[in-house]
Amino acid sequence: MSQTPLAQAVQPASPTQIHTDATGLVEGDIRIDAPAGPYNAYRAAPQGLGPYPVVLVIHEIFGVHEHIRDVARRFAKLGYLAIAPELFERQGDVKQLANIEEIRPVVASVPDEQVLADLDAALAWATQHGGDIDRVAVTGFCWGGRITWLYAAHQPRLKAAVAWYGRLVGESTANQPRFPLDVAGKLLAPVLGLYGGADTGIPLDTVAQLQQALAKVGSVSTVHVYPDTPHAFYADYRPSYRAEAAADGWQRLQAWFKQHGV
C-alpha cells in the first residue's frame, strides 16, 4: 500500500536546514490560560519592553517542534513578538507519536472552536506581555494554513494573515465544520495564500474555486501558486523543501504584513 505524500514527509525530528539563534531575543516555553484550560506555547521576542507587532505561528499536524520554534525566532529577529501555541495538547502530544496513523485521530479530535479560542488566548497573552494589539498578524503551515483562513474570519483585531498550503475544501465534521472556501466571503483581515502547483493533496481546481470566491466578493485576499512545487515547500526539515520558493514566500509574507500595517 503506497503512502500519501504527507505520510512520506513525516520527519518532525529531522534537523532543520535553517537555524536561527536566540541572540538578542527573549524566548522559551510559556503557559497560556484559555477557556478549555491552560496550554503550552513557545514565545520568541526581541529583548526589551516593546510594544512589538504580534504574529501567531500555527503549526502543522506535528505540533510545535523545532522547525516551528525556529520560524518563531525568525519573526523575533524581524522585530515581532511571535507565539506558537501547542494546539493539540489537550487531545495528545503528537510529537511523541511514531507515525501518521497515530497522529491523524488526535488531530481529528481537536475542535476548531477550541483552536480559535486558544489563538484568542495567545493573542491576549501577547498583548499583556509587550505585544501591540493594533498590529496583529497570523501565519500557519499545512493544518495551520487552513486554520489561518478560519482565524482571519474570526478575529476582528487581525490585520494580516498568510496561509501556507492549507487545505481549502473538505468534508464537514462536528469538530471541523468549515473550510477556507466556506469563509471566503467572511474574512475580517486580508489573507495571502501560498500554494504549490504540484501539491497532490491540494488540487489546483480547489485553489481556483477559492480565487473565484474571493473575486466574487471583491476581496483583497489573494493566492500565489508556485508552479511545479510540492506541498510543504517551506518545511526545511523535509524532502519537500524548496529553498527558492521558500525564500520567495518569506519575502512575500513580510511585504504582505508591512502592506497591511503589521
Side-chain angles (χ1 to χ4, degrees):
M1 182 176 176
S2 62
Q3 291 181 309
T4 65
L6 181 59
Q8 294 171 349
V10 177
Q11 297 182 32
S14 298
T16 58
Q17 294 189 37
I18 300 172
H19 176 70
T20 306
D21 64 45
T23 304
L25 305 181
V26 176
E27 58 87 34
D29 295 327
I30 58 174
R31 194 78 172 158
I32 295 176
D33 291 323
Y39 70 91
N40 291 322
Y42 178 77
R43 174 271 308 263
Q47 292 178 352
L49 297 177
Y52 301 109
V54 176
V55 59
L56 303 178
V57 181
I58 309 178
H59 56 68
E60 312 147 306
I61 66 168
F62 312 123
V64 184
H65 55 80
E66 180 53 30
H67 171 65
I68 298 299
R69 290 168 178 260
D70 199 276
V71 171
R73 292 193 295 273
R74 295 172 202 178
F75 278 115
K77 292 282 189 176
L78 294 174
Y80 292 89
L81 191 168
I83 297 184
E86 194 73 79
L87 296 167
F88 304 151
E89 179 180 308
R90 300 182 194 86
Q91 281 72 27
D93 185 356
V94 294
K95 296 189 299 300
Q96 302 302 317
L97 301 180
N99 55 58
I100 196 72
E101 286 74 21
E102 295 180 10
I103 292 174
R104 286 189 191 280
V106 174
V107 177
S109 69
V110 181
D112 284 346
E113 291 306 312
Q114 174 184 293
V115 171
L116 298 177
D118 282 350
L119 291 169
D120 288 342
L123 177 56
W125 189 97
T127 57
Q128 294 163 10
H129 294 82
D132 186 347
I133 190 60
D134 293 321
R135 293 183 292 164
V136 178
V138 64
T139 192
F141 305 87
C142 191
W143 179 88
R146 170 182 169 270
I147 295 296
T148 294
W149 287 98
L150 298 185
Y151 198 61
H154 165 82
Q155 176 50 255
R157 301 310 297 257
L158 199 63
K159 291 293 180 66
V162 175
W164 301 76
Y165 36 83
R167 191 177 178 193
L168 299 175
V169 302
E171 182 179 350
S172 176
T173 68
N175 285 333
Q176 291 94 35
R178 293 175 298 279
F179 284 80
L181 187 60
D182 301 317
V183 301
K186 304 173 184 178
L187 298 173
L188 304 175
V191 184
L192 169 63
L194 300 172
Y195 288 79
D199 188 334
T200 58
I202 304 176
L204 283 178
D205 66 330
T206 66
V207 175
Q209 289 177 49
L210 180 68
Q211 291 171 319
Q212 291 165 9
L214 294 172
K216 184 176 181 180
V217 297
S219 176
V220 298
S221 297
T222 188
V223 176
H224 180 78
V225 177
Y226 293 94
D228 303 317
T229 302
H231 185 77
F233 59 84
Y234 191 77
D236 58 46
Y237 66 97
R238 297 196 204 177
S240 57
Y241 178 57
R242 297 294 183 271
E244 184 175 349
D248 183 82
W250 185 245
Q251 292 302 316
R252 287 175 185 271
L253 175 148
Q254 293 177 63
W256 188 259
F257 283 4
K258 289 178 182 178
Q259 177 185 341
H260 298 288
V262 185

